[in-house]
Amino acid sequence: MNIWFATNNGHKKEELQAILNTSLKIPSQEGYAFNPEETGDTFCENALIKARELHKLLGNNEPVIADDSGLNVDALGGRPGVLSARYGMENGQKLTSDQQNILLLDELGDSPLRSARFVCSMVLFYSNDRFFVIQETLEGEIVKKSEMRGDGGFGYDPVFLIPQFGRTLAELSVEEKNFLSHRGKAGKIIANLLKNNG
Amino acid sequence: MNIWFATNNGHKKEELQAILNTSLKIPSQEGYAFNPEETGDTFCENALIKARELHKLLGNNEPVIADDSGLNVDALGGRPGVLSARYGMENGQKLTSDQQNILLLDELGDSPLRSARFVCSMVLFYSNDRFFVIQETLEGEIVKKSEMRGDGGFGYDPVFLIPQFGRTLAELSVEEKNFLSHRGKAGKIIANLLKNNG
């Protein structure tokens, strides 16, 4: 039985395969044109939109996994949140991760409130009637502008401090990150659900 | 730590306590006025509405469980679905379960397509950022009008046949029903999540 992941990004597939310890298929590598419109107001809605869309495209009962994630910064009222990937986007032009990180640090400025959390909503979808949603978090703090650091990970990882480690997410190894992270925690539960409730 | 269930119905509380094998608190028995508006288009949305509302009312981080369920009949395009409790309602006046069952059997008539499924969306909610949704099903068939039977259960149970048992859901014992049912299956997974990921 195939297990599908609702993304076109081969890098994301590799990452989730490592977390789930299972082989995944993605539509772009199997000849499917998959371009869901992520119009949801929440991570959960967007993950369900992607899962439903791929389920419909496949037209069978093979399990589909989908996820949506982002960064909620308390001092910004939860922004960039569900718009994390599009943060700072103007005229349809996306910023690079570096540009987004600088923008975020500038917007936060010297605010003493630095708390933030990564959120990942991951869906295991069998049909419109039967599916599971696991939404997990990773709590941390946004560093000061002078303290952005680390070469690992991607996106907002270099500005996200894990206080008990004294390191940013970009300074952790892949194994450390997958153990601690919002996506790692959600994936671990999804792997169990896949195994025990398929 | 208290575990809350987002219902005002003491009978539903007893049923879920048996499934989860744990003690639950419900708002009506603890002095809270809990009247969520179930305006969602799906079971999942309605369960999340109830969970969010109770979480907000409590104002703490105690886990909240909420559920929404109903009956999807294929020959009726999935109806009554999310409106199962309100099926046949006119002028704000709800029908009794018996009246709803007769209405459903009349609407289906002699249709050869009898397949249907109960669906239960159950949520374990810790915060707006961290929650789990388990949506499970019980597949079956709607009996012919002359074959409605059984005194157990409630709602649509007397018209819902479990083909491999040759019995309606209303003819099963509570233990049999909780083992097989959409709510029983979802509850079993929620109980595990509560135990291992609290």
Side-chain angles (χ1 to χ4, degrees):
Chain A
M1 181 191 60
N2 297 313
I3 303 168
W4 293 83
F5 182 31
T7 182
N8 288 316
N9 185 326
H11 171 75
K12 280 197 175 181
K13 175 183 115 165
E14 301 296 327
E15 192 187 57
L16 191 61
Q17 285 187 154
I19 290 172
L20 298 181
N21 194 25
T22 195
S23 173
L24 300 171
K25 284 193 184 292
I26 66 174
S28 56
Q29 294 177 348
E30 306 294 330
Y32 289 97
F34 175 64
N35 293 299
E37 284 192 55
E38 299 176 30
T39 53
D41 291 327
T42 63
F43 299 114
C44 173
E45 282 174 35
N46 277 337
L48 280 169
I49 286 170
K50 292 184 227 181
R52 276 194 199 106
E53 182 81 12
L54 182 53
H55 172 76
K56 202 171 138 190
L57 195 63
L58 296 171
N60 61 28
N61 286 316
E62 293 178 338
V64 168
I65 295 171
D67 74 348
D68 196 52
S69 53
L71 179 65
N72 291 357
V73 180
D74 291 332
L76 303 180
R79 280 190 309 117
V82 76
L83 298 173
S84 292
R86 287 164 274 174
Y87 179 54
M89 189 164 87
E90 273 181 33
N91 307 319
Q93 197 68 37
K94 278 192 185 183
L95 300 186
T96 66
S97 289
D98 275 353
Q99 289 170 328
Q100 287 185 318
N101 284 325
I102 299 294
L103 181 66
L104 180 69
L105 293 169
D106 284 342
E107 204 182 346
L108 256 183
D110 290 330
S111 168
L113 179 61
R114 312 301 297 189
S115 58
R117 68 201 53 75
F118 276 112
V119 179
C120 174
S121 207
M122 194 178 292
V123 175
L124 172 58
F125 195 91
Y126 292 95
S127 73
N128 284 306
D129 293 320
R130 182 162 188 261
F131 58 83
F132 310 135
V133 182
I134 302 297
Q135 187 163 316
E136 272 286 6
T137 59
L138 171 61
E139 300 282 337
E141 292 172 10
I142 304 301
V143 298
K144 294 262 166 70
K145 197 167 179 179
S146 58
E147 293 164 349
M148 176 171 160
R149 62 188 187 270
D151 297 319
F154 56 88
Y156 298 97
D157 290 1
V159 301
F160 191 87
L161 183 77
I162 316 289
Q164 64 272 35
F165 280 49
R167 286 188 278 166
T168 70
L169 206 47
E171 292 180 305
L172 301 187
S173 70
V174 172
E175 292 72 24
E176 286 172 321
K177 186 180 168 185
N178 286 348
F179 180 78
L180 276 184
S181 77
H182 50 309
R183 187 177 282 112
K185 286 188 275 191
K188 195 182 137 204
I189 298 176
I190 291 287
N192 277 328
L193 289 169
L194 196 55
K195 194 173 144 194
N196 299 318
N197 302 279
Chain B
M1 180 192 61
N2 296 314
I3 303 168
W4 293 83
F5 183 31
T7 183
N8 288 317
N9 184 325
H11 171 75
K12 281 197 172 180
K13 176 183 113 164
E14 301 295 329
E15 192 187 58
L16 191 60
Q17 285 186 154
I19 291 171
L20 298 180
N21 194 24
T22 195
S23 173
L24 300 170
K25 284 193 184 293
I26 66 174
S28 56
Q29 294 176 349
E30 307 294 330
Y32 289 96
F34 175 64
N35 293 299
E37 284 191 55
E38 300 176 30
T39 52
D41 291 327
T42 62
F43 300 115
C44 173
E45 282 174 34
N46 277 337
L48 280 170
I49 286 170
K50 293 183 224 180
R52 277 195 199 104
E53 182 83 11
L54 182 54
H55 172 76
K56 203 171 137 190
L57 194 63
L58 296 172
N60 60 29
N61 287 315
E62 293 177 339
V64 168
I65 295 171
D67 73 350
D68 196 53
S69 53
L71 178 66
N72 291 358
V73 179
D74 291 332
L76 303 180
R79 280 190 309 116
V82 77
L83 298 174
S84 293
R86 286 163 275 174
Y87 179 53
M89 188 164 88
E90 274 181 33
N91 307 319
Q93 198 68 37
K94 278 193 184 184
L95 300 186
T96 65
S97 290
D98 275 353
Q99 289 170 328
Q100 287 185 320
N101 283 326
I102 299 294
L103 181 65
L104 180 69
L105 293 168
D106 284 342
E107 203 182 346
L108 255 183
D110 290 330
S111 168
L113 179 60
R114 311 300 297 188
S115 58
R117 68 202 52 76
F118 276 112
V119 179
C120 173
S121 206
M122 195 178 291
V123 175
L124 172 58
F125 195 91
Y126 292 95
S127 73
N128 284 306
D129 293 319
R130 182 162 188 261
F131 58 82
F132 310 135
V133 182
I134 302 298
Q135 186 164 317
E136 273 286 6
T137 58
L138 171 62
E139 300 283 336
E141 292 172 8
I142 304 301
V143 298
K144 295 264 166 68
K145 196 166 178 179
S146 58
E147 292 165 350
M148 176 172 160
R149 61 189 188 269
D151 297 319
F154 56 88
Y156 299 97
D157 290 0
V159 301
F160 192 87
L161 184 77
I162 315 290
Q164 64 270 38
F165 280 50
R167 285 188 279 166
T168 70
L169 207 47
E171 292 180 304
L172 301 188
S173 70
V174 172
E175 293 71 24
E176 286 172 321
K177 186 181 168 186
N178 286 348
F179 181 77
L180 277 184
S181 78
H182 51 309
R183 188 178 280 111
K185 285 189 275 192
K188 194 182 137 207
I189 298 176
I190 291 286
N192 278 328
L193 289 169
L194 195 55
K195 194 171 144 196
N196 298 319
N197 302 279

